[in-house]
Amino acid sequence: MTDPVEKIAAAVLYEGYVLWPYRRSAQKNQKRWTFGGVYPRAFSETAQTNDPWLMQTQCLVVGEKAAVEVKLRFLHVVERKVAAIRGVGEELTEAERLEFVDELRVGGERYLAWEEAAEREVVVSGLGLADLKTPTRAAISIPAGVEEEPLAGDGGVVVGALVRSWHSLEGVVEVEAEPVCEGLFTLTVKITNTAPWDGQDRDETLRQTFVSTHTILRVEDGEFVSLMDPPEEMKRLAEECENKKTWPVLAGEEGDRHTILSSPIILYDYPKIAPESPGDLFDGGEIDQLLTLSILSLTDEEKEEARATDPRAREILDRSESLSEEDLMSLHGAIRGFQTLRGGGQIDPFEVEGLERPAPISVTVDGVEIRSGSRVRLWPRAGRDIFDIALSGKAAIVDKIEQDFEDRILLSVSVEDDPGREMVDMPVLGHRFFFSPEEVEPLEAQT
């Protein structure tokens, strides 16, 4: 998948799909499908919950001859059952053949009963805005179904099966455009769930829900207007756009105004996937490096359960275990550039005068010259955080002298008895600390 919009849309689609530690038994994975749900209308109106039956995107489009394409994407909850096959080679009915169990081991692999999700997509295209004064409607209709995946043991004999089933889904995509003035339209896209509901509880109703719903809007012969940063003359109109349970932003290459991603996740205009990211983790608010290191710290038993929990969780574990040290270091963080607060674009921090703060080679503390390699004892002043307080009285090595933008001198130190001192030159947290010259005591005179 090379389209940057589709990459972002995929990340949004699976946000919260399964959370670290990616195991079925983890408490945080007991209640899933929390983002972008569009529920059966009868459930929403009678169940006394905040679960919506409608998602609405409203935005501004410039272009007298503009035409739009609306792509709706969501996840469809799939129940995955695990079955042992009885009477292999015998003539049995379907009910006699399958014995459903909570888990099954086949050929050294473990399989757990749980839930998965299938991607669904509805596309409505060729919609001229001038012709949309009367709403255009497209049906969402997905029939119920069942699939069986055989599980073969030693010798290729089928001894088990994964049985996946899903409920039918019904709904409507409604698209309407209202002219505001010559060449400017307010575009409205409504997504409603009309699936029948017979009083099931919320967990069961989720199987009739559009989960992680979002839309991708594309325009030809026209442009979208940013709702986050509209032109001054359109600011009032942008503020009047009513978006329900979704957040539309410009997407694609910076400056391109032909695509909008409208999702339940709040994003800025032109969101991007970090090029260093090796793949989805479904925890978009977390840091890839910390999650990856946490994954690698799981026990073998925990990893086995995660792999048995979900095929996508298995991919995460396999990918994390295949990363090289260089791959892990690249996840630590990066500066893309600095941006001025008003009226400016991206700037190169290495080409701007005044950003460099050359630090002195040495500083004098209590009449002793301190430089890189000096031994000191740490005495953090009152008010420092708990990590600094824990270092009080510790011997440390000065690794570098630095100067900040307020011309304050800071000593970058590593604790002398830290077994991870060799990692001080790597971009890894927890092995390098900063103290002012007033917070250290020289331990030996320098020659």
Side-chain angles (χ1 to χ4, degrees):
M1 182 186 297
T2 58
D3 185 336
V5 178
E6 294 290 342
K7 284 185 177 181
I8 288 290
V12 169
L13 187 66
Y14 285 98
E15 175 69 21
Y17 172 79
V18 57
L19 301 175
W20 185 86
Y22 306 120
R23 302 197 309 271
R24 182 185 70 170
S25 61
Q27 186 64 35
K28 64 176 72 174
N29 287 316
Q30 301 307 302
K31 295 292 183 182
R32 303 172 75 199
W33 323 117
T34 54
F35 291 103
V38 181
Y39 295 75
R41 182 168 184 172
F43 168 79
S44 295
E45 293 180 336
T46 61
Q48 297 182 341
T49 69
N50 293 322
D51 299 314
W53 59 271
L54 166 70
M55 176 180 282
Q56 174 176 296
T57 297
Q58 196 168 75
C59 57
L60 302 174
V61 187
V62 177
E64 294 183 12
K65 298 181 179 180
V68 297
E69 174 190 89
V70 177
K71 179 187 288 186
L72 164 65
R73 301 182 68 200
F74 58 90
L75 296 179
H76 190 172
V77 179
V78 174
E79 182 182 15
R80 183 186 69 215
K81 293 182 177 181
V82 179
I85 295 181
R86 296 180 294 190
V88 176
E90 301 178 16
E91 292 294 329
L92 299 173
T93 65
E94 188 70 12
E96 295 172 329
R97 187 174 66 92
L98 298 179
E99 178 186 358
F100 290 104
V101 295
D102 182 61
E103 65 174 86
L104 184 69
R105 289 187 179 273
V106 178
E109 293 289 340
R110 182 184 178 192
Y111 299 91
L112 298 176
W114 209 39
E115 291 176 328
E116 296 178 4
E119 295 182 19
R120 306 301 188 195
E121 182 176 292
V122 177
V123 179
V124 188
S125 58
L127 303 174
L129 297 191
D131 302 323
L132 288 176
K133 295 179 183 179
T134 301
T136 292
R137 294 179 175 85
I140 304 168
S141 182
I142 300 171
V146 178
E147 289 181 349
E148 185 176 310
E149 177 187 342
L151 301 175
D154 297 336
V157 178
V158 176
V159 295
L162 298 179
V163 181
R164 297 179 173 92
S165 61
W166 55 90
H167 291 10
S168 62
L169 295 180
E170 296 178 21
V172 175
V173 180
E174 180 180 293
V175 187
E176 182 180 10
E178 179 183 354
V180 178
C181 60
E182 185 175 354
L184 178 63
F185 298 85
T186 298
L187 175 66
T188 304
V189 178
K190 295 180 180 179
I191 300 162
T192 58
N193 188 328
T194 61
W197 181 72
D198 298 322
Q200 300 94 329
D201 62 22
R202 188 178 185 276
D203 288 342
E204 185 66 22
T205 302
L206 280 166
R207 296 177 185 176
Q208 296 175 272
T209 298
F210 310 152
V211 172
S212 194
T213 310
H214 65 276
T215 52
I216 300 174
L217 311 178
R218 301 184 189 272
V219 64
E220 293 183 358
D221 298 322
E223 291 185 340
F224 291 108
V225 175
S226 169
L227 297 187
M228 293 192 67
D229 188 21
E232 190 63 34
E233 67 273 15
M234 296 186 187
K235 186 168 293 186
R236 179 183 60 82
L237 293 172
E239 292 173 350
E240 290 175 352
C241 287
E242 185 178 7
N243 288 282
K244 300 177 180 179
K245 304 301 181 179
T246 190
W247 184 269
V249 297
L250 293 172
E253 296 300 324
E254 194 83 24
D256 184 3
R257 297 181 178 275
H258 294 91
T259 307
I260 271 186
L261 172 62
S262 186
S263 82
I265 308 296
I266 296 177
L267 303 170
Y268 292 96
D269 282 340
Y270 307 113
K272 289 180 173 58
I273 298 294
E276 297 86 0
S277 180
D280 293 330
L281 291 167
F282 315 136
D283 304 71
E286 303 291 341
I287 299 172
D288 280 16
Q289 185 187 49
L290 293 180
L291 276 174
T292 301
L293 293 174
S294 297
I295 291 166
L296 295 177
S297 70
L298 294 173
T299 66
D300 290 343
E301 292 77 13
E302 290 170 332
K303 290 179 181 179
E304 182 193 48
E305 184 188 352
R307 287 189 167 93
T309 290
D310 188 89
R312 295 182 183 277
R314 174 188 289 267
E315 292 175 9
I316 289 175
L317 264 70
D318 291 345
R319 184 173 64 239
S320 297
E321 292 184 327
S322 68
L323 295 177
S324 65
E325 181 177 332
E326 183 179 356
D327 294 330
L328 287 171
M329 291 300 100
S330 72
L331 296 179
H332 186 67
I335 297 175
R336 310 292 180 200
F338 293 98
Q339 187 170 358
T340 55
L341 292 178
R342 296 181 183 275
Q346 295 291 331
I347 61 176
D348 187 338
F350 301 103
E351 295 182 358
V352 179
E353 293 185 8
L355 283 184
E356 286 192 25
R357 288 292 190 275
I361 296 176
S362 66
V363 296
T364 300
V365 178
D366 295 337
V368 177
E369 188 179 27
I370 300 294
R371 61 175 64 233
S372 177
S374 296
R375 296 179 67 244
V376 297
R377 193 171 302 282
L378 305 176
W379 299 111
R381 63 179 179 270
R384 295 293 293 262
D385 65 32
I386 188 63
F387 292 103
D388 293 323
I389 294 173
L391 299 178
S392 183
K394 291 280 189 179
I397 306 296
V398 176
D399 298 298
K400 192 176 181 181
I401 300 175
E402 300 188 4
Q403 185 169 344
D404 67 14
F405 288 101
E406 295 178 353
D407 295 325
R408 293 176 301 187
I409 301 299
L410 296 172
L411 305 180
S412 172
V413 306
S414 56
V415 178
E416 198 168 54
D417 59 1
D418 179 0
R421 275 201 67 241
E422 69 278 3
M423 302 181 71
V424 72
D425 292 327
M426 301 180 185
V428 178
L429 294 173
H431 299 283
R432 184 168 58 172
F433 305 90
F434 293 89
F435 291 86
S436 69
E438 294 77 18
E439 296 178 295
V440 303
E441 171 194 351
L443 287 181
E444 55 188 30
Q446 303 299 306
T447 59

